Amino acid sequence: MKLRNFLYLNTKIINDYLSAIDGYVYNEEAQSIATSTEEAMKAGGGVKLVSGEGTHIGKTAEEITRSVQISDAAKFDKVFRYLQDGDEDEQIKYYEFLSEELFNELRRDDFLEVLVTARFSKMKELTDTVKKLNELATAFQGITDQQLLDKQAKEVVAGFSALGELQSGKAISCVFNFEDGKFPLVAYLDEDYFKCDQENFVGESYMVCKVLRKIQKGQSIKLDEIFDDIKKIPMNRQQRRNLPKSMDNPEMLRDVIKGPALVVVPIAVYQ
């Protein structure tokens, strides 16, 4: 059995897969454990033994039944072994890098285990940094009674904090890169399934994922577009004319992943 330290685990997907594999999902099971005890009984005096006094060992056996919780790690391991033992076309594939030939062979719904390095989107990295700066400034003012940020800096912090609030509750955009930086994998993480502090998530790890679609060479995907929701609102021609000419993110927040790349459904990230 491969021992894993999970950084992210989508338990809903795991339970869905187990229900398809076994036909049911269970969280507890009963275990029966046979135990035996030895009891020493001394004999002497009124009991006639060869030596006049001795000890007789008696054994008592009993069976104990206990209810145990099925761990998320055990559930994942069962799904992973199922994917390893499947038909050749359905078996999970392991990669530490991709070539153009391997990329072309990949198909939608392929399961992959990859060794990659994760980074969050530029939007999340910047808003998280500003949030920490604001917390530091507040603590500094409380200790020294001096303001670390001037009026203009506070306005900038407030603006980025508002952007962070807009992204709150949405899936977290994340890019997973192979060591050579080619064929990046784009994934959207559900905040509920992190198994560690998000600041400890970035770095090298293994990811098990399912291919959703390919981003071919010459194509690209934009992460965390601020005006993405506005673009989806039905508008007439006049309303569209009143919108800014450029609806792209500002340069510092622009995060464009160029193909060839993959968009994947993240199932587990671990070390």
Side-chain angles (χ1 to χ4, degrees):
M1 178 183 292
K2 187 175 182 179
L3 299 180
R4 304 173 177 91
N5 173 33
F6 286 97
L7 307 178
Y8 179 89
L9 182 61
N10 191 318
T11 51
K12 180 184 182 304
I13 291 179
I14 293 300
N15 285 329
D16 286 347
Y17 289 169
L18 280 177
S19 65
I21 294 169
D22 293 333
Y24 56 87
V25 174
Y26 60 95
N27 294 316
E28 293 185 0
E29 67 179 7
Q31 288 186 347
S32 296
I33 304 172
T35 62
S36 63
T37 57
E38 294 185 350
E39 187 176 311
M41 297 175 291
K42 285 191 174 181
V47 180
K48 187 175 181 181
L49 297 170
V50 175
S51 61
E53 183 175 346
T55 301
H56 172 70
I57 303 299
K59 290 187 177 182
T60 303
E62 63 177 336
E63 187 174 82
I64 299 174
T65 301
R66 64 181 183 182
S67 178
V68 296
Q69 190 79 20
I70 309 298
S71 68
D72 293 336
K75 291 180 180 179
F76 172 82
D77 190 66
K78 183 171 184 177
V79 172
F80 188 82
R81 285 187 282 109
Y82 175 85
L83 294 174
Q84 282 183 316
D85 299 337
D87 296 335
E88 186 174 350
D89 293 339
E90 299 177 352
Q91 284 180 355
I92 190 167
K93 304 174 179 67
Y94 175 76
Y95 297 114
E96 294 185 3
F97 65 91
L98 284 177
S99 63
E100 186 174 348
E101 181 182 359
L102 291 173
F103 178 81
N104 290 334
E105 290 176 354
L106 292 177
R107 297 290 180 267
R108 181 183 174 92
D109 293 338
D110 279 352
F111 287 95
L112 310 178
E113 183 186 27
V114 291
L115 178 61
V116 285
T117 299
R119 75 161 177 87
F120 291 126
S121 67
K122 290 181 181 180
M123 171 77 80
K124 179 171 173 55
E125 289 178 346
L126 192 53
T127 53
D128 283 353
T129 299
V130 170
K131 181 180 178 181
K132 290 178 183 178
L133 177 62
N134 191 37
E135 292 172 350
L136 176 62
T138 302
F140 182 82
Q141 184 174 349
I143 295 171
T144 64
D145 201 26
Q146 296 180 7
Q147 291 189 1
L148 187 63
L149 304 175
D150 59 21
K151 182 180 178 181
Q152 186 177 3
K154 287 181 178 179
E155 290 175 354
V156 173
V157 168
F160 279 108
S161 297
L163 284 178
E165 289 298 321
L166 287 174
Q167 298 298 318
S168 179
K170 294 183 178 181
I172 297 174
S173 303
C174 192
V175 182
F176 295 85
N177 287 302
F178 292 106
E179 188 175 4
D180 60 7
K182 299 178 181 178
F183 303 97
L185 293 82
V186 177
Y188 300 95
L189 306 171
D190 190 318
E191 201 165 7
D192 292 338
Y193 298 125
F194 278 91
K195 299 294 185 180
C196 67
D197 293 335
Q198 291 180 21
E199 61 185 15
N200 297 325
F201 180 81
V202 295
E204 189 176 66
S205 56
Y206 297 95
M207 176 172 64
V208 170
C209 59
K210 186 177 183 180
V211 176
L212 187 61
R213 63 188 176 96
K214 291 182 179 181
I215 307 298
Q216 298 292 350
K217 187 176 181 179
Q219 299 177 338
S220 63
I221 182 171
K222 298 177 181 179
L223 305 183
D224 293 350
E225 285 290 285
I226 298 173
F227 301 108
D228 198 40
D229 290 336
I230 297 177
K231 294 175 185 178
K232 296 175 183 177
I233 298 175
M235 298 182 188
N236 59 39
R237 184 177 300 177
Q238 185 59 43
Q239 289 172 324
R240 291 193 176 277
R241 285 177 181 172
N242 293 333
L243 293 175
K245 290 183 179 180
S246 176
M247 298 287 284
D248 292 332
N249 283 0
E251 183 64 34
M252 69 174 65
L253 297 175
R254 198 168 298 161
D255 203 348
V256 181
I257 307 302
K258 296 181 179 179
L262 294 170
V263 178
V264 300
V265 177
I267 299 171
V269 179
Y270 51 84
Q271 293 174 335

